[in-house]
Amino acid sequence: MKRILSSLALLAGLATTRAADYPQPTGATMARTFPYSMIGQLLFTNGPSDFSGSGTIIRPNSVLTAAHNLWDADSGFSTDLLFRRSLYGATDLSEQFASRIYVLAGYRENARRYDAEDLRAFSYDMGALLFARPVAGGSFAGWWANPALLTGGYTIALGYGAEKHSGDDLLSVAPATGYVATFGGFYENGGLYFESGMSGGPVFGRDPEGRLYVAGVVVASSLDPVAGGIRILNSTAATFIRRYMK
């Protein structure tokens, strides 16, 4: 969760009096149960520093994450991208380095022009990692480019923390209300906070039959005001996934 959310650790002590939904550890059973077992911690290097984020397997050889984990206006593309699937404690179910990176068209242009923490960059903040072989033996989480899954009903956002938590446990937060459109493909939920390290993690929505689909990606958070921001899966995201993720 590079740049956008890592700096929020400095603000954590300033907003404890405001009500908010904060991410909590899910435990080993949930972390190792499908579709949550398709989520993993992403470790990477950008410039002179190492960072961590999150991602989700949504095609056999591909992981969906946030674009700002993969590219930075000052340092360019991230390197040494290691995906640790279903990490819990000191163990994971598989580890593999990415062989290729893609970011959604428009992200680099808007991050350069307006800054990576601008709404116009958030609205394109989506990226993909490709791997030389299947990441989970051919298994992957379902996805659905349907914003209606995020504006009402049950949603849950997940990822690996790097702020209050040590990053060795999958975290989740399930807000009581839906997300609302802010700018383009960027949606927010007031009163919801994402911990640094969760960036790139999935937001699942539930269809009327109770099935869970990845419908968004964690990209931003704020403590003043309290809010969590996501890049939704819409028609633009669907085209990106079908074209570049294998």
Side-chain angles (χ1 to χ4, degrees):
M1 190 168 291
K2 186 172 176 291
R3 289 195 60 182
I4 294 173
L5 294 182
S6 60
S7 62
L8 293 179
L10 301 175
L11 303 177
L14 303 180
T16 56
T17 60
R18 186 160 185 173
D21 294 322
Y22 288 91
Q24 299 296 326
T26 61
T29 299
M30 181 172 175
R32 297 279 165 89
T33 301
F34 184 86
Y36 311 115
S37 57
M38 298 297 103
I39 305 167
Q41 183 190 61
L42 180 62
L43 303 177
F44 58 96
T45 300
N46 191 275
S49 302
D50 296 328
F51 299 93
S52 69
S54 302
T56 315
I57 308 165
I58 63 165
R59 299 293 295 271
N61 289 54
S62 300
V63 165
L64 185 70
T65 187
H68 72 258
N69 287 336
L70 308 182
W71 183 87
D72 178 82
D74 296 323
S75 304
F77 282 101
S78 300
T79 60
D80 302 319
L81 294 117
L82 176 65
F83 184 71
R84 306 183 66 193
R85 180 173 74 90
S86 194
L87 175 68
Y88 183 78
T91 65
D92 53 46
L93 295 186
S94 64
E95 292 186 5
Q96 191 174 167
F97 283 97
S99 59
R100 186 169 293 183
I101 299 172
Y102 293 104
V103 295
L104 185 65
Y107 177 74
R108 285 184 287 171
E109 292 80 0
N110 282 279
R112 280 196 189 104
R113 181 178 299 178
Y114 303 111
D115 189 82
E117 300 188 32
D118 189 276
L119 295 178
R120 288 162 288 195
F122 290 153
S123 65
Y124 292 93
D125 199 349
M126 182 175 290
L129 298 171
L130 270 65
F131 297 82
R133 62 183 187 276
V135 187
S139 296
F140 54 91
W143 62 276
W144 190 3
N146 181 3
L149 293 178
L150 300 168
T151 57
Y154 175 84
T155 65
I156 184 170
L158 303 105
Y160 286 86
E163 186 181 318
K164 179 180 177 182
H165 300 90
S166 62
D168 59 359
D169 193 359
L170 183 65
L171 307 179
S172 71
V173 56
T177 60
Y179 295 82
V180 296
T182 301
F183 184 89
F186 181 62
Y187 281 42
E188 288 184 285
N189 192 306
L192 168 65
Y193 181 72
F194 298 131
E195 184 171 321
S196 178
M198 293 180 69
S199 192
V203 184
F204 283 97
R206 181 176 285 162
D207 74 2
E209 285 71 44
R211 294 171 295 213
L212 290 171
Y213 294 93
V214 177
V217 175
V218 173
V219 298
S221 197
S222 170
L223 278 169
D224 187 17
V226 175
I230 66 174
R231 205 299 176 184
I232 66 164
L233 270 61
N234 55 10
S235 59
T236 301
T239 299
F240 173 75
I241 291 169
R242 293 188 180 108
R243 180 172 298 172
Y244 297 109
M245 302 182 76
K246 309 297 182 184

